[in-house]
Amino acid sequence: MGKSIGFKKIETAIFISGTGSNLNNLIKFSLQKRSPIKIDLIISNNTNAKGLRFSKSYKIRKKIYDFRKKSNSENQVLKDLKKNQIKLICLAGFMKILSNNFIKKFKGKILNIHPSLLPKYKGLNTHHRAIKNKEKYSGCTVHYVNSNLDSGKIILQKKVKISKKDTPNLLKKKILKWEHKIYPKAIKKVLSNL
Ligand code: GRF
């Protein structure tokens, strides 16, 4: 009596291949008192991913698999996820395509962030392509992962104006700031609907 009702943060794994600015941002988000997630595991296909340094600084377990033998690596990852009771997967600059079999096992529990206004500009080099096509706007999208690349149901999207001076690199930086805002929001949205 009189005690506040505790809530349990959802065990989450983040998959990365590179810099990890979204990873860092999601870790900070997870550390907020009322955050709905707790990050227990970082998975990468790339030993040299810069973002892996956050494993050490935040004391979060990391696992690296090369994914060249995809089904072997995925089976190992599935074991790791089970061992750590992972309930939610957030892809954050993860450059490998997960198999149907893997996705089925985490149906509706895998999110991705993509730097374009999906369904436009799926795949790589989004900023370069948007500028080249003289788009007025680009942006970023958080979506569920399904078996087609960058095609799952959209959860949240932010439109960002492309200015005449924008190079792909400037646009990337501009959009990345918004990615850091919408990914936590999208996670809250998804988890409040569970
Ligand atoms: C982001 O632009 C994300 O949208 C895309 O890959 C990039 C990863 O950046 N999927 P970072 O590693 O989180 O800094």
Side-chain angles (χ1 to χ4, degrees):
M1 288 274 276
K3 274 188 193 160
S4 65
I5 300 164
F7 82 109
K8 196 169 178 292
K9 293 192 178 192
I10 302 286
E11 293 87 351
T12 303
I14 315 288
F15 288 31
I16 63 163
S17 300
T19 315
S21 73
N22 277 289
L23 166 67
N24 187 24
N25 180 61
L26 290 180
I27 295 172
K28 286 184 182 153
F29 166 64
S30 75
L31 294 173
Q32 292 170 14
K33 203 167 170 222
R34 299 299 299 168
S35 169
I37 60 164
K38 168 174 176 282
I39 297 173
D40 295 306
L41 191 58
I42 300 167
I43 300 275
S44 184
N45 64 308
N46 176 12
T47 335
N48 297 319
K50 276 197 197 156
L52 286 172
R53 72 184 191 276
F54 298 117
S55 154
K56 202 169 178 195
S57 51
Y58 290 103
K59 298 195 172 60
I60 299 171
R61 189 170 302 141
K62 66 167 187 240
K63 287 279 190 167
I64 301 155
Y65 297 105
D66 74 9
F67 279 82
R68 269 177 290 188
K69 286 183 182 159
K70 184 137 91 183
S71 67
N72 283 357
S73 298
E74 285 189 348
N75 285 335
Q76 291 298 324
V77 172
L78 285 169
K79 278 186 196 156
D80 292 334
L81 297 175
K82 198 167 178 193
K83 217 182 211 155
N84 290 280
Q85 297 177 307
I86 299 298
K87 310 272 172 4
L88 179 73
I89 295 173
C90 297
L91 308 184
F94 183 62
M95 303 302 283
K96 292 284 172 186
I97 295 172
L98 296 166
S99 73
N100 268 332
N101 177 49
F102 186 98
I103 294 169
K104 262 194 255 153
K105 299 219 160 90
F106 269 83
K107 200 160 180 275
K109 303 283 161 43
I110 311 178
L111 315 184
N112 182 40
I113 184 143
H114 184 76
S116 79
L117 288 176
L118 289 174
K120 278 190 162 179
Y121 304 109
K122 296 172 183 172
L124 298 175
N125 301 320
T126 55
H127 309 306
H128 174 81
R129 288 188 283 147
I131 290 174
K132 200 170 153 227
N133 287 344
K134 301 197 173 9
E135 297 282 0
K136 289 201 169 64
Y137 294 92
S138 187
C140 46
T141 307
V142 181
H143 63 94
Y144 288 103
V145 171
N146 68 12
S147 48
N148 296 318
L149 183 68
D150 301 327
S151 298
K153 189 170 172 235
I154 291 173
I155 300 159
L156 217 57
Q157 195 163 58
K158 171 69 192 173
K159 202 168 164 184
V160 177
K161 200 165 178 359
I162 302 180
S163 82
K164 291 242 159 60
K165 288 185 208 140
D166 276 336
T167 60
N169 207 27
L170 285 172
L171 185 59
K172 177 180 157 187
K173 283 188 185 153
K174 206 154 92 178
I175 289 178
L176 209 46
K177 281 192 188 150
W178 284 105
E179 293 187 26
H180 297 165
K181 293 201 169 88
I182 70 165
Y183 214 165
K185 273 194 190 163
I187 291 172
K188 279 190 190 165
K189 190 173 168 191
V190 164
L191 294 177
S192 67
N193 287 339
L194 278 186

